[in-house]
């Protein structure tokens, strides 16, 4: 399945794994890349040397291209940006901010730069400063999100820029991928379904919670603090939203989620932890290997796209 994205990123299928904090470590990234997609290591708020170690371990598991996602609110973002160059990482995706100040360094080093954006304005700005392609992430996604849905964001971003667009948010099967193509995307990024794969190292309780989730089982906390985050609804989201409605301080709200993702991913505390997941959790029905998942996605997409003139 060739698109502008497969050529640009040197991958077989236009499927990118999200750079999820605590979840996107080297086993998962290498497995996705080995399966023909683009695996990502999520640098999140981890120290830079942790990221270097993860990159080196991924290189031992795969010769195929993989990437690193930089979370731009991280206190270590500057150092991680340099490690990407030092380690010869092929692709960098960025989230939760504006990566402009690193662009020159990455471009000169030949790193493909893929900012994740949640608005048309940011998409245009990223194109102007040299992005190779973009991920347009709708509000259906898990974790830190924007306001606009994938359905309306992707076609508007695709019309606004000349670089290829990757759709994210709410995609978990071949129907979603085919729909993304129809909206003007040349590839997709998926997170939630990759959390539930054999190679994903997250606690089994986290996987089971996603498998059990239905269409209405995610909630967005932090809309009033300016840090909206989507997670599976549980005791934590209930208490957080109650406090948020009461107008408690930003600091107190932050304390409620501090370390919450680690608690869910590592300790398996899906009651008081932050079980970040997208609305597509309701579409995730089975745990399989990354290769099985990607083959299933490609088969489903192919059967929907047959007879269209989409493929190059
Ligand atoms: O980054 C994400 N998703 C994330 S990051 C993350 S780690 C975290 N944990 C707790 C609280 C907050 C973060 C969990 N999930 N997705 C990509 C994304 N980027 N979505 C939205 C944006 C975005 C937001 C603002 C991109 C650019 C932007 O620009 C702001 C500016 O500087 O103008």
């Amino acid at each position: 399945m060739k698109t502008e994205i497969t050529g640009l990123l040197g991958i077989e299928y236009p499927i990118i794994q999200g750079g999820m904090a605590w979840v996107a470590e080297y086993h998962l990234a290498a497995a996705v890349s080995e399966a023909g997609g683009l695996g990502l290591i999520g640098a999140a708020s981890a120290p830079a040397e942790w990221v270097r170690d993860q990159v080196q371990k991924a290189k031992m598991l795969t010769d195929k291209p993989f990437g690193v996602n930089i979370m731009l609110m991280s206190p270590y973002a500057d150092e991680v940006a340099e490690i990407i160059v030092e380690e010869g990482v092929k692709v960098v995706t960025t989230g939760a901010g504006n990566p402009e100040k690193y662009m020159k360094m990455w471009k000169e080093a030949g790193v493909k730069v893929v900012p994740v954006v949640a608005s048309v304005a940011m998409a245009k700005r990223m194109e102007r400063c040299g992005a190779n392609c973009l991920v347009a992430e709708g509000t259906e996604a898990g974790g830190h999100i924007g306001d606009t849905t994938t359905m309306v964001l992707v076609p508007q971003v695709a019309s606004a820029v000349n670089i290829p667009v990757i759709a994210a948010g709410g995609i978990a099967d071949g129907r979603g991928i085919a729909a993304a193509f129809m909206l003007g995307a040349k590839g997709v990024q998926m997170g939630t379904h990759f959390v539930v794969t054999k190679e994903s190292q997250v606690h089994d309780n986290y996987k089971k919670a996603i498998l059990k989730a239905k269409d209405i089982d995610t909630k967005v906390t932090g809309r009033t603090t300016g840090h909206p985050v989507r997670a599976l609804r549980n005791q934590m989201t209930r208490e957080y939203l109650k406090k948020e409605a009461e107008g408690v301080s930003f600091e107190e709200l932050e304390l409620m989620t501090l370390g919450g993702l680690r608690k869910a991913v590592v300790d398996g505390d899906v009651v008081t932890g932050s079980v970040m997941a997208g609305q597509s959790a309701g579409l995730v029905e089975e745990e399989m290997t990354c290769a099985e998942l990607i083959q299933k996605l490609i088969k489903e997409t192919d059967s929907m796209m047959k007879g269209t003139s989409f493929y190059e």
Side-chain angles (χ1 to χ4, degrees):
M1 188 184 284
K2 300 264 172 290
T3 74
E4 285 161 70
I5 291 296
T6 55
L8 179 69
L9 304 180
I11 54 181
E12 205 174 334
Y13 306 117
I15 298 174
I16 293 169
Q17 165 235 318
M20 302 163 281
W22 285 101
V23 174
E25 49 65 72
Y26 76 95
H27 296 94
L28 182 63
V32 172
S33 287
E34 272 297 294
L38 186 80
L40 291 179
I41 290 163
S45 296
E49 286 309 317
W50 179 87
V51 180
R52 192 196 299 281
D53 183 59
Q54 290 281 311
V55 168
Q56 291 175 350
K57 284 176 170 151
K59 282 180 194 164
M60 287 193 258
L61 294 184
T62 184
D63 291 327
K64 300 195 174 167
F66 62 89
V68 168
N69 171 270
I70 290 205
M71 208 278 282
L72 294 162
M73 294 191 303
S74 165
Y76 304 104
D78 288 353
E79 291 164 63
V80 174
E82 281 172 19
I83 278 177
I84 283 165
V85 174
E86 287 165 20
E87 292 294 326
V89 173
K90 300 280 184 289
V91 182
V92 59
T93 71
T94 69
N98 182 344
E100 248 169 84
K101 68 171 173 172
Y102 309 120
M103 215 69 133
K104 186 165 169 285
M105 173 175 74
W106 288 334
K107 297 295 300 253
E108 280 173 10
V111 184
K112 298 284 188 299
V113 184
V114 188
V116 179
V117 300
S119 71
V120 170
M122 197 55 155
K124 285 180 167 168
R125 192 158 167 179
M126 292 300 102
E127 179 182 45
R128 268 202 308 278
C129 68
N132 295 95
C133 59
L134 294 168
V135 175
E137 186 182 274
T139 193
E140 297 93 321
H144 178 74
I145 49 170
D147 287 327
T148 310
T149 61
T150 303
M151 184 77 130
V152 294
L153 180 68
V154 172
Q156 291 183 84
V157 169
S159 296
V161 298
N162 291 308
I163 50 178
V165 175
I166 295 163
I171 302 168
D173 61 21
R175 294 171 296 184
I177 299 176
F181 288 157
M182 294 301 126
L183 295 175
K186 304 293 181 187
V188 297
Q189 178 186 277
M190 287 174 32
T192 303
H193 206 318
F194 281 115
V195 179
V196 187
T197 55
K198 295 263 199 291
E199 294 89 344
S200 158
Q201 308 289 304
V202 311
H203 197 287
D204 216 38
N205 293 353
Y206 203 121
K207 295 184 184 178
K208 288 202 173 99
I210 291 177
L211 285 165
K212 206 169 107 213
K214 298 190 181 54
D215 55 346
I216 56 170
D217 285 342
T218 70
K219 288 286 178 195
V220 180
T221 57
R223 285 206 196 274
T224 61
T225 67
H227 289 141
V229 169
R230 185 183 300 284
L232 294 186
R233 68 168 162 173
N234 61 4
Q235 187 182 314
M236 186 281 291
T237 60
R238 214 160 26 247
E239 285 173 6
Y240 189 109
L241 288 167
K242 186 162 169 281
K243 290 217 161 131
E244 205 175 357
E246 288 164 2
V248 312
S249 72
F250 176 74
E251 287 74 21
E252 194 180 333
L253 289 171
E254 285 289 288
L255 275 179
M256 285 185 66
T257 53
L258 199 69
L261 181 59
R262 184 194 173 282
K263 207 156 49 162
V265 170
V266 181
D267 305 338
D269 180 353
V270 296
V271 178
T272 71
S274 177
V275 191
M276 291 187 196
Q279 290 185 332
S280 73
L283 288 165
V284 179
E285 285 169 346
E286 193 191 338
E287 178 178 358
M288 50 194 117
T289 67
C290 290
E292 286 164 350
L293 173 57
I294 288 180
Q295 285 307 316
K296 169 184 167 286
L297 295 168
I298 296 302
K299 195 163 154 242
E300 288 171 353
T301 310
D302 266 341
S303 79
M304 310 212 80
M305 304 288 292
K306 228 180 276 153
T308 72
S309 57
F310 180 79
Y311 296 130
E312 278 176 357

